[in-house]
Amino acid sequence: MTLLIMITLTSISLLLAAAETIPTTLDGPFKPLTRRFEPSLRRGSDDLPMDHPRLRKRNVSSDFPEQIALALSTPTSMWVSWVTGDAIVGKDVKPLDPSSIASEVWYGKEKGNYMLKKKGNATVYSQLYPFDGLLNYTSGIIHHVLIDGLEPETRYYYRCGDSSAPAMSEEISFETLPLPSKDAYPHRIAFVGDLGLTSNTTTTIDHLMENDPSLVIIVGDLTYANQYHTIGGKGVPCFSCSFPDAPIRETYQPRWDAWGRFMEPLTSKVPTMVIEGNHEIEPQASGITFKSYSERFAVPASESGSNSNFYYSFDAGGVHFVMLGAYVDYNHTGLQYAWLKEDLSKVDRAVTPWLVATMHPPWYNSYSSHYQEFECMRQEMEELLYQYRVDIVFAGHVHAYERMNRIYNYTLDPCGPVYITIGDGGNIEKVDVDFADDPGKCPSPGD
């Protein structure tokens, strides 16, 4: 089973304008309703093998761009990212030289006519495990280029790569979003969580692309690369059994490259915004964490006043999004809390009437899986979201769908946000079906 949420804010606004009677949370609270999942469907989905046609590296020069992805920067600028060169896996790995190839984007409003050109930066990263049986990894060259001066609601055509190699991508196009306005919205926004790289992921992404979204939001747990050697593909069922001398789990980084290739038909055409989940932590022997997430994705952190890629905000027409980091400091005294308070205080609801928050783990969840796992974060931040009247909070982590009545501090409240869990986009783990109040299913205080 897979879950995907598609929201068309324009349609909502038009229905309201036409005075049609549609139920809203303000008509509630409604009596809770549970439609139990059929247990026979609780199976997960096998990982796609590395030689799957949608995961394989194309038979072209290693300088040719792949894993091309777009991300919003500001309402008039866009990040373009891609990877060149060959990643290396082995005992001894030597990083590629990022300065060995240029980072260029040519773009314009007419096919084949690229009046504008921008250059950017390139980097590489390594994932190191100095233990018997575990393999080290160093990435291909990861490019990030910011293109700006874009007009709203306009289609642009672009190519990326190094024109001197020559190694430029085929022509691709994207459409910019409306400027912030109470009367202008993206045509359709897709929300999805806990994707992984399975047969179910294929169904989810194919369905998503068929629905032609203007913007995609992924609420964490992107590749499940850290589980590939445990339950993924042909990996071992017991990691510690096969690697007894490894104090930490190896995360199989080539799954990141495979995921980037798999997602490219979507991410190269539609801006895709991500936030980190627990499967992105990926600790290395030296204590470094989140290296893949930090290096592979361009996000509007500095553009939104954040000093971290783990939390940021952006506008999409009449919607202001805040992307919250659950795996970095979220206390009242921390930098993320201070940033969030400042960011929310600047939101003009006359310009962006919708205020939407996302994070990976849900604060409210009636399933036994991950029940109240992030209660501490809720206690630290919920009052701030309530004070500034956040409309909707999307989360993943729990592998199920659930929507809450408007709530604040475990109390029905017409001014509280609607909480929506969308944590089964296709991952290899099974769908959650047990509720915390089922007999014998309530997690212990220790959990």
Side-chain angles (χ1 to χ4, degrees):
M1 290 293 292
T2 58
L3 274 179
L4 172 68
I5 289 282
M6 307 288 288
I7 285 194
T8 311
L9 295 175
T10 307
S11 299
I12 294 173
S13 301
L14 290 174
L15 284 170
L16 292 174
E20 293 186 22
T21 302
I22 58 173
T24 76
T25 53
L26 297 179
D27 298 321
F30 302 105
K31 182 180 178 181
L33 175 65
T34 298
R35 291 189 176 92
R36 289 195 174 271
F37 194 78
E38 168 55 47
S40 66
L41 299 177
R42 191 178 177 253
R43 61 186 182 276
S45 175
D46 290 340
D47 269 327
L48 297 178
M50 290 298 291
D51 60 357
H52 189 280
R54 292 173 68 163
L55 275 55
R56 288 198 303 257
K57 190 176 178 70
R58 281 170 289 188
N59 187 24
V60 293
S61 162
S62 64
D63 290 336
F64 190 84
E66 65 163 24
Q67 307 179 47
I68 303 170
L70 303 173
L72 299 177
S73 171
T74 70
T76 58
S77 59
M78 186 86 71
W79 286 103
V80 183
S81 304
W82 67 94
V83 177
T84 58
D86 295 318
I88 304 170
V89 180
K91 191 65 178 177
D92 298 309
V93 294
K94 182 180 179 181
L96 300 175
D97 179 7
S99 65
S100 63
I101 187 167
S103 308
E104 305 173 44
V105 176
W106 300 4
Y107 60 107
K109 292 189 286 185
E110 298 178 5
K111 289 184 177 182
N113 187 11
Y114 314 112
M115 302 295 293
L116 302 166
K117 298 178 184 179
K118 291 287 183 179
K119 292 188 176 182
N121 301 310
T123 186
V124 297
Y125 77 91
S126 296
Q127 194 86 10
L128 303 177
Y129 305 101
F131 309 112
D132 290 341
L134 272 60
L135 297 176
N136 296 317
Y137 169 94
T138 186
S139 72
I141 300 172
I142 302 168
H143 305 258
H144 299 298
V145 176
L146 181 65
I147 59 176
D148 56 9
L150 304 178
E151 297 178 14
E153 301 180 86
T154 301
R155 181 159 295 279
Y156 284 86
Y157 301 85
Y158 76 97
R159 298 177 69 190
C160 61
D162 183 347
S163 59
S164 65
M168 296 290 287
S169 71
E170 298 297 321
E171 181 179 84
I172 315 170
S173 72
F174 65 88
E175 188 171 345
T176 54
L177 300 182
L179 292 175
S181 166
K182 66 181 180 62
D183 299 318
Y185 296 92
H187 167 66
R188 184 172 286 132
I189 305 173
F191 294 82
V192 63
D194 301 65
L195 269 174
L197 199 53
T198 70
S199 298
N200 281 347
T201 312
T202 302
T203 305
T204 299
I205 296 303
D206 288 349
H207 174 70
L208 192 156
M209 289 191 291
E210 288 170 4
N211 280 274
D212 190 28
S214 307
L215 173 66
V216 177
I217 312 291
I218 307 179
V219 295
D221 281 5
L222 307 173
T223 68
Y224 286 77
N226 70 325
Q227 284 197 181
Y228 190 69
H229 274 165
T230 304
I231 60 174
K234 298 181 180 179
V236 296
C238 169
F239 189 88
S240 60
C241 300
S242 294
F243 306 106
D245 298 324
I248 60 175
R249 180 190 303 273
E250 175 189 342
T251 174
Y252 190 63
Q253 291 296 296
R255 294 300 282 184
W256 277 99
D257 296 306
W259 192 85
R261 297 180 196 117
F262 176 87
M263 295 291 289
E264 182 181 310
L266 170 68
T267 59
S268 63
K269 300 172 184 175
V270 182
T272 302
M273 314 304 289
V274 301
I275 198 67
E276 75 281 358
N278 55 297
H279 285 273
E280 279 72 69
I281 298 174
E282 299 184 312
Q284 298 188 44
S286 61
I288 295 174
T289 55
F290 290 106
K291 196 64 175 176
S292 309
Y293 170 85
S294 299
E295 300 298 330
R296 290 177 182 271
F297 296 101
V299 299
S302 60
E303 296 95 317
S304 59
S306 169
N307 67 346
S308 169
N309 283 10
F310 300 121
Y311 50 88
Y312 59 93
S313 68
F314 62 93
D315 291 324
V319 189
H320 183 74
F321 286 92
V322 289
M323 312 286 279
L324 303 180
Y327 300 93
V328 292
D329 184 14
Y330 46 69
N331 293 323
H332 275 79
T333 56
L335 293 176
Q336 180 176 193
Y337 186 92
W339 166 82
L340 178 61
K341 186 175 183 179
E342 177 72 11
D343 185 85
L344 293 175
S345 70
K346 294 178 180 177
V347 176
D348 184 351
R349 302 301 281 268
V351 177
T352 52
W354 290 82
L355 183 50
V356 177
T358 80
M359 65 192 80
H360 181 60
W363 291 346
Y364 291 101
N365 161 40
S366 68
Y367 287 86
S368 59
S369 177
H370 303 301
Y371 182 69
Q372 289 194 328
E373 186 177 292
F374 275 75
E375 178 67 4
C376 292
M377 184 184 185
R378 182 194 70 80
Q379 291 185 21
E380 293 290 330
M381 286 188 158
E382 184 184 25
E383 184 178 0
L384 203 54
L385 269 59
Y386 180 79
Q387 176 186 346
Y388 286 97
R389 298 296 186 260
V390 170
D391 294 298
I392 311 173
V393 180
F394 285 96
H397 201 43
V398 176
H399 300 153
Y401 172 80
E402 188 168 32
R403 183 179 71 247
M404 298 287 176
N405 283 306
R406 289 188 176 272
I407 193 170
Y408 171 63
N409 195 27
Y410 287 97
T411 303
L412 293 172
D413 191 314
C415 296
V418 173
Y419 288 85
I420 303 179
T421 300
I422 50 168
D424 191 40
N427 60 74
I428 196 170
E429 299 169 325
K430 293 181 179 180
V431 175
D432 290 318
V433 298
D434 297 326
F435 292 92
D437 57 358
D438 286 341
K441 298 300 182 181
C442 184
S444 69
D447 293 335

